[in-house]
């Protein structure tokens, strides 16, 4: 074979160095599969997970009080060491530390005037790192030349068909939040006034060195014999010779996103008379859009001319000051009209009946949007070696590394400020108005009636409407009207004579001739494929009847029963952005029926109880004063969607959906839950539309849902006093999912699949679990 012609003096020095750390074959009599792989390591002494907290209170005087809290959580995950055994495992480990600091002061200026101040600080440090157990000498000896960074403990990865040697995972995601608030409470006559302010400063960063020291791949083509038919060559032989078929590395990025939040509020609770209380309030929020600490931020701008695309609209813009930049650190707008009124009332109809109601407009806040590496084109990115740069199957040699492409590497090295940077690539987009946070209108009307001092019945109508919140969509979807005009020609290159015969003209002079007609007709043909971005076109509607019956703890019994009948619809998932309004449908989180029960019951046996009050201490210690409790929850399943795989020629924004077959039941009437091959969904109820035709099923089908979810948790407990009231011993027996309910899930929803409609996971919850515990308190 090809391995026999590789002499010892021809083995590449990097490959030879790596081989020192590769274990000998477990079965040297086999050429392949001669070493067992490794999946997971075992817990080592350095791994841990713990939380601790320290809290203190100090009364400086009768009017001034201080209190504070410090808490810390840290964890390390199990190391993933394989599959190559030994010291070069490609797995990685997650780790993190989170700290919380809180400081509060309360000052009583007068008996009717109180000031409360809070300062908080959160520090989060999360990361991922490879699990190699080699020293820095190995890293230096195997480091690919010409990569963007040389950062310990990052290792270049070399790939063969037998596995990857080393891991190049290395990220840090630190986050910091400072917040403070001050609130004044003032009681004056019939008024109970509260007013104050809040401020928060948030940073979330990403120190990304994933792959910054490179991944080098090898291919059988590098050692193949082109004159011989069939399969020749081995990528492992290419590895030994130091012949790379390809390689890439990331330009290391250090991104720190920041945003600030301000709010002011005032509220007055007015006791108009004995029966009527009014609540009046106003809040003003000022949530500034995010920016990057060093202006390392870019964004697609649909209104900016693209010089490399003949002046077509659609190009990158860059934050900050300087040539090619916008002059503004924030590329999104900030909502400055976020006034949120509050209005509420409570009216006592009788001694046992009260009517309550209220409404408010509440504004959302800016949040972290995934990692802090979104929208940084020109400040991060990657370099990939051109394939077959030296010859068939060979891009470069290990000994030269990426130095073979020095000018190309330098051309892509950040920062690159160019509006045409992402041409012929995918691009990230966050619409300018997406920085303007959305808002919710919320109102309710509630009737409460007490049947006794211990029982209360409550019934409410609750509505919540979300408007202008973030939604994701494809801004580069092909207009579906072109399907009717060009049909299957949409998949044809623009240079094809059949396309030319239609009289079609390419969108700009240097448009690639091998691109399809569909790509040329997209709104922004200079970008390949979709432009997935966020806008503030999201909308949701929630209406609910909420009822509850509560029996407060009395005569050894507490019980609560709550039932909610609701409907939630939204438009956050679109198949066709050109009919976005029509995409509003039932939400994936919709659960029409939710019934929850909670109870605690002290059994009537033992000392102080109706039965057994005079039992002797031994009998009472065994049989008396037991308590049982439980929580039970029954709810509708979430709605399902049915997807298909017809070709829409780029005219689809998201998941392609199937169509209904009229007259067919959606559920399989003969479904057998004991038979895994029995479909839960009726396959005859759906059909894949023809190519170029949108399915008529909604994003999620309200009439087709996961099976109902049922769960019961119960417990039995008893407490003994040990020598004194302060020393107690508690025994508890708990049964989770006591009825051993099986929550069925993972239903195959693609009609093209051979298992369409089947439940592939017969249990998505935990089976019955019974635990016993003893707790001594002193």
């Amino acid at each position: 074979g090809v391995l026999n012609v590789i002499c010892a003096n021809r083995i590449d020095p990097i490959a030879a160095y790596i081989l020192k750390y590769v274990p000998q074959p477990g079965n040297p009599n086999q050429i392949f599969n001669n070493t067992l792989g490794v999946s997971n390591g075992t817990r080592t002494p350095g791994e841990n997970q713990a939380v601790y907290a320290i809290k203190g209170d100090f009364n400086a005087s009768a009017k001034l009080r201080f209190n504070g809290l410090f808490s810390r959580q840290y964890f390390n995950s199990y190391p993933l060491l394989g599959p190559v055994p030994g010291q070069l495992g490609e797995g990685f480990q997650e780790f993190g530390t989170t700290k919380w600091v809180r400081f509060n002061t309360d000052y009583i200026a007068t008996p009717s005037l109180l000031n409360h101040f809070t300062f908080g600080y959160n520090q989060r440090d999360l990361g991922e790192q490879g699990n190699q157990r080699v020293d820095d000498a190995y890293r230096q000896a195997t480091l690919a030349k010409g990569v963007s960074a040389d950062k310990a403990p990052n290792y270049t990865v070399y790939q063969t068909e037998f596995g990857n040697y080393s891991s190049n995972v290395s990220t840090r995601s630190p986050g910091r939040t400072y917040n403070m608030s001050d609130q004044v409470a003032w009681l004056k006559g019939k008024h109970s006034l509260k007013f104050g302010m809040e401020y928060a400063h948030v940073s979330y960063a990403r120190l990304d060195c994933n792959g910054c020291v490179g991944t080098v791949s090898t291919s059988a083509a590098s050692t193949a014999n082109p004159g011989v038919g069939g399969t020749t060559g081995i990528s492992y032989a290419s590895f030994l010779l130091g012949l790379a078929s390809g390689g890439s590395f990331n330009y290391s990025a250090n991104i720190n996103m920041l945003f600030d939040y301000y709010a002011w509020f005032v509220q007055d609770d007015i006791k108009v008379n004995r029966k009527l209380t009014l609540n009046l309030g106003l809040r003003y929020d000022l949530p500034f859009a995010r920016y990057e600490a060093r202006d390392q931020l870019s964004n697609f701008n649909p209104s900016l001319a693209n010089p490399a695309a003949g002046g077509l609209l659609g190009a990158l813009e860059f934050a900050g000051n300087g040539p090619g930049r916008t002059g503004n650190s924030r590329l999104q707008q900030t909502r400055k009209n976020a006034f949120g009124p509050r209005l509420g009332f409570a009216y006592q109809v009788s001694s046992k009946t009260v009517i309550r109601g209220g409404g408010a407009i509440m504004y959302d806040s800016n949040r972290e949007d995934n990692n802090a590496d979104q929208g940084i084109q020109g400040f991060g990115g990657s370099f990939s070696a051109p394939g077959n740069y030296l010859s068939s199957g060979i891009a470069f040699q290990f000994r030269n590394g990426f130095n073979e492409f020095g000018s190309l590497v330098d051309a892509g090295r950040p920062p690159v400020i160019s509006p045409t940077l992402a041409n012929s690539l995918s691009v990230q987009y966050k619409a300018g108005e997406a920085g303007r946070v959305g808002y919710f209108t919320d109102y309710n009307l509630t009737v409460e009636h007490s049947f006794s001092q211990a029982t209360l019945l409550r019934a409410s109508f609750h509505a919540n409407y979300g408007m202008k919140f973030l939604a994701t969509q494809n801004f580069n979807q092909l207009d579906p009207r072109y399907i009717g005009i060009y049909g299957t020609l949409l998949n044809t290159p623009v240079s094809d004579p059949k396309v030319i015969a239609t009289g079609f003209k390419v969108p700009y002079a240097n448009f690639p001739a091998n691109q399809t007609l569909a790509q040329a007709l997209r709104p922004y043909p200079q970008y390949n494929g979709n432009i997935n971005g966020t806008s503030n076109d999201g909308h949701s509607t929630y209406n609910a009847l909420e009822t509850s019956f509560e029996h407060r703890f009395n005569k050894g019994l507490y019980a609560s029963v709550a039932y909610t009948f609701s409907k939630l619809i939204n438009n956050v998932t679109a198949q066709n952005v050109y009919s976005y309004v029509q995409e509003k449908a039932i939400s994936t989180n919709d659960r029409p029926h939710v019934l929850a029960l909670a109870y605690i019951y002290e059994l009537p046996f033992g000392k102080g109880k109706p039965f057994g009050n005079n039992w002797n201490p031994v009998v009472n210690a065994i049989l008396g004063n037991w308590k049982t409790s439980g929580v039970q929850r029954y709810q509708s399943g979430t709605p399902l969607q049915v997807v298909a795989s017809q070709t829409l020629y780029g005219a689809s924004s998201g998941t392609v959906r199937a169509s209904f077959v009229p007259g067919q039941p959606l559920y399989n009437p003969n479904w057998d839950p004991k038979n895994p091959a029995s479909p839960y969904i009726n396959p005859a109820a759906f059909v894949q539309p023809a190519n170029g035709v949108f399915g008529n099923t909604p994003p999620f089908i309200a009439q087709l849902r996961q099976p109902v979810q049922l769960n019961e948790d119960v417990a039995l407990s008893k407490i003994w006093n040990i020598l004194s009231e302060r020393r107690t011993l508690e025994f508890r027996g708990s049964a989770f999912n006591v009825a051993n309910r099986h929550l069925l899930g993972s239903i195959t929803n693609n009609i093209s699949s051979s298992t369409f409609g089947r439940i592939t996971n017969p249990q998505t919850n935990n089976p019955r679990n019974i635990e016993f515990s003893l707790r001594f308190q002193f």
Side-chain angles (χ1 to χ4, degrees):
V2 69
L3 292 178
N4 293 332
V5 303
I6 300 176
C7 301
N9 62 350
R10 290 294 306 278
I11 293 180
D12 180 85
I14 291 179
Y17 199 93
I18 292 173
L19 288 178
K20 298 177 185 178
Y21 294 83
V22 177
Q24 292 295 315
N27 186 351
N29 296 320
Q30 290 184 220
I31 297 176
F32 300 108
N33 298 323
N34 53 31
T35 300
L36 291 177
V38 177
S39 57
N40 291 309
T42 56
R43 181 171 288 276
T44 62
E47 294 178 79
N48 52 58
Q49 180 170 330
V51 179
Y52 65 81
I54 301 173
K55 182 180 180 181
D57 292 272
F58 175 64
N59 293 327
S61 67
K63 292 185 174 184
L64 182 62
R65 178 184 177 184
F66 301 95
N67 66 77
L69 168 71
F70 173 77
S71 181
R72 182 175 184 263
Q73 176 188 20
Y74 55 91
F75 74 92
N76 286 330
S77 67
Y78 288 99
L80 304 177
L81 302 178
V84 176
Q87 299 168 275
L88 302 181
E90 64 177 287
F92 64 91
Q93 190 172 14
E94 298 176 341
F95 56 89
T97 302
T98 304
K99 299 175 182 177
W100 298 272
V101 176
R102 293 291 182 274
F103 175 75
N104 304 287
T105 65
D106 291 288
Y107 178 66
I108 304 173
T110 69
S112 61
L113 186 64
L114 170 68
N115 185 82
H116 178 77
F117 173 80
T118 296
F119 171 80
Y121 171 67
N122 296 348
Q123 176 179 310
R124 180 197 64 199
D125 292 286
L126 307 179
E128 299 168 338
Q129 190 67 56
N131 287 310
Q132 301 90 339
R133 291 164 291 158
V134 288
D135 56 21
D136 198 61
Y138 171 91
R139 188 184 69 84
Q140 292 287 351
T142 61
L143 188 69
K145 295 178 174 61
V147 293
S148 67
D150 179 8
K151 295 186 177 181
N154 293 357
Y155 300 81
T156 301
V157 172
Y158 292 85
Q159 298 177 333
T160 75
E161 69 266 70
F162 302 128
N164 296 342
Y165 299 123
S166 297
S167 168
N168 55 17
V169 173
S170 180
T171 63
R172 300 291 188 277
S173 297
R176 306 288 186 267
T177 301
Y178 301 86
N179 68 282
M180 63 179 180
S181 64
D182 192 78
Q183 176 180 297
V184 176
W186 184 24
L187 302 177
K188 185 172 178 61
K190 296 182 177 182
H191 299 268
S192 178
L193 283 162
K194 294 179 182 177
F195 50 90
M197 60 79 64
E198 296 180 25
Y199 167 72
H201 175 77
V202 179
S203 76
Y204 61 106
R206 179 81 165 179
L207 286 72
D208 186 1
C209 203
N210 267 352
C212 69
V213 293
T215 295
V216 177
S217 58
T218 58
S219 167
S222 301
T223 50
N225 186 341
V228 178
T231 302
T232 62
I234 299 177
S235 62
Y236 189 73
S238 303
F239 163 74
L240 294 177
L241 292 171
L243 303 178
S245 62
S248 63
F249 64 82
N250 287 334
Y251 294 104
S252 182
N254 186 349
I255 308 297
N256 186 16
M257 298 294 186
L258 309 167
F259 58 85
D260 296 285
Y261 169 80
Y262 298 84
W264 298 265
F265 60 90
V266 59
Q267 179 165 329
D268 189 8
D269 299 330
I270 309 170
K271 191 169 183 61
V272 179
N273 54 45
R274 184 177 61 84
K275 291 190 171 185
L276 177 64
T277 299
L278 294 178
N279 314 103
L280 305 174
L282 180 66
R283 183 182 180 94
Y284 177 67
D285 295 275
L286 186 58
F288 281 94
R290 68 171 189 170
Y291 64 99
E292 204 280 328
R294 293 173 293 280
D295 289 331
Q296 298 180 103
L297 198 61
S298 63
N299 192 39
F300 167 74
N301 186 333
S303 302
L304 190 65
N306 194 311
L312 283 182
L313 297 182
L316 280 186
E317 62 179 357
F318 298 84
N321 297 304
R325 296 180 180 254
T326 62
N328 191 347
S329 290
R330 292 184 175 89
L331 298 181
Q332 279 76 47
Q333 304 162 10
T334 294
R335 182 178 289 282
K336 297 181 180 179
N337 61 346
F339 291 95
R342 272 84 163 140
L343 174 65
F345 75 93
Y347 180 71
Q348 186 179 35
V349 179
S350 67
S351 60
K352 294 187 175 182
T353 304
V354 174
I355 298 177
R356 305 180 189 273
I361 297 177
M362 297 169 289
Y363 288 85
D364 205 352
S365 60
N366 282 312
R367 297 185 179 90
E368 298 183 19
D369 50 349
N370 300 312
N371 294 322
D373 53 5
Q374 304 295 306
I376 63 167
Q377 285 176 304
F379 305 101
S382 62
F383 173 83
S384 294
N388 301 327
Y389 184 78
L390 296 182
S391 66
S392 177
I394 304 175
F396 60 90
Q397 296 176 286
F398 290 2
R399 65 172 180 265
N400 295 332
F402 295 95
N403 286 335
E404 194 80 54
F405 320 101
S407 60
L408 296 177
V409 169
D410 290 338
R413 194 181 303 278
V416 179
I417 311 299
S418 169
T420 66
L421 175 65
N423 283 14
S424 301
L425 303 173
S426 61
V427 67
Q428 295 176 340
Y429 180 42
K430 194 177 181 71
E433 65 271 15
R436 295 166 55 86
V437 297
Y439 60 96
F440 298 85
T441 60
D442 188 281
Y443 61 88
N444 68 84
L445 181 65
T446 303
V447 178
E448 296 178 350
H449 181 77
S450 297
F451 293 95
S452 68
Q453 290 185 345
T455 57
L456 177 67
L457 176 66
R458 181 183 293 113
S460 301
F461 171 73
H462 182 198
N464 183 286
Y465 306 136
M467 285 163 278
K468 298 294 183 182
F469 60 78
L470 295 182
T472 301
Q473 65 188 69
N474 174 21
F475 291 85
N476 207 23
Q477 178 189 327
L478 177 70
D479 192 328
R481 67 188 177 90
Y482 290 120
I483 296 177
I485 299 173
Y486 294 104
T488 57
L489 277 180
L490 291 168
N491 277 348
T492 307
V494 293
S495 58
D496 190 283
K498 288 180 287 188
V499 174
I500 297 173
T502 66
F504 177 78
K505 304 297 183 184
V506 294
Y508 52 92
N510 56 341
F511 184 79
N514 62 345
Q515 288 282 20
T516 65
L517 177 58
Q519 177 63 34
L521 289 169
R522 286 179 181 266
Y524 307 99
Q526 61 270 38
Y527 298 109
N528 287 347
N530 297 344
I531 299 177
N532 293 319
T534 54
S535 66
N536 63 351
D537 294 327
H539 188 277
S540 67
T541 301
Y542 174 79
N543 291 296
L545 172 65
E546 301 170 346
T547 62
S548 65
F549 180 82
E550 183 179 4
H551 177 78
R552 301 184 186 93
F553 203 86
N554 185 39
K555 297 182 179 179
L557 175 65
Y558 166 83
S560 173
V561 180
Y563 169 72
T564 299
F565 174 61
S566 65
K567 186 175 184 179
L568 173 62
I569 60 178
N570 61 31
N571 67 342
V572 297
T573 303
Q575 181 180 219
N576 180 10
V577 298
Y578 291 91
S579 60
Y580 199 67
V581 175
Q582 300 175 9
E583 293 288 337
K584 190 170 183 178
I586 204 75
S587 168
T588 182
N589 297 315
D590 177 67
R591 295 183 184 272
H593 305 281
V594 178
L595 175 66
L597 299 86
Y599 47 87
I600 301 172
Y601 180 54
E602 294 181 345
L603 299 180
F605 306 102
K607 185 177 180 180
K609 304 297 181 182
F611 305 100
N613 184 46
N614 296 320
W615 284 348
N616 69 57
V618 175
V619 174
N620 187 73
I622 298 172
L623 302 178
N625 304 103
W626 287 89
K627 179 168 61 178
T628 184
S629 59
V631 175
Q632 299 173 214
R633 188 176 181 89
Y634 310 98
Q635 59 188 10
S636 305
T638 54
L640 298 170
Q641 66 175 179
V642 178
V643 303
S645 54
Q646 70 270 29
T647 299
L648 290 173
Y649 312 105
S652 173
S653 174
T655 303
V656 179
R657 304 198 290 264
S659 287
F660 290 114
V661 175
Q664 288 286 341
L666 303 184
Y667 297 98
N668 178 14
N670 300 313
W671 174 54
D672 180 3
K674 296 181 180 179
N675 180 9
S678 176
Y680 173 77
I681 302 173
N682 179 17
F686 301 93
V687 65
Q688 178 169 299
N691 289 340
V693 178
F694 287 95
N696 62 17
T697 57
F700 294 93
I701 305 170
Q703 300 81 13
L704 183 66
R705 296 176 176 272
Q706 296 266 5
V708 295
Q709 298 185 3
L710 317 173
N711 188 72
E712 298 92 2
D713 300 330
V714 297
L716 183 68
S717 62
K718 177 179 172 60
I719 296 177
W720 293 271
N721 290 324
I722 307 299
L723 300 178
S724 73
E725 293 286 337
R726 298 180 61 182
R727 298 186 181 90
T728 60
L729 180 67
E730 179 183 12
F731 167 81
R732 175 177 289 271
S734 303
F736 303 97
N737 188 16
V738 64
N740 202 26
R741 308 278 193 183
H742 285 214
L743 302 187
L744 307 175
S746 300
I747 300 173
T748 304
N749 67 340
N750 191 322
I751 64 172
S752 300
S753 172
S754 60
T755 60
F756 171 61
R758 297 182 191 175
I759 295 176
T760 57
N761 188 348
Q763 186 162 10
T764 59
N765 65 325
N766 292 322
R768 181 193 296 118
N769 180 28
I770 299 176
E771 298 179 359
F772 298 99
S773 64
L774 278 175
R775 178 185 178 188
F776 180 59
Q777 183 173 317
F778 57 93

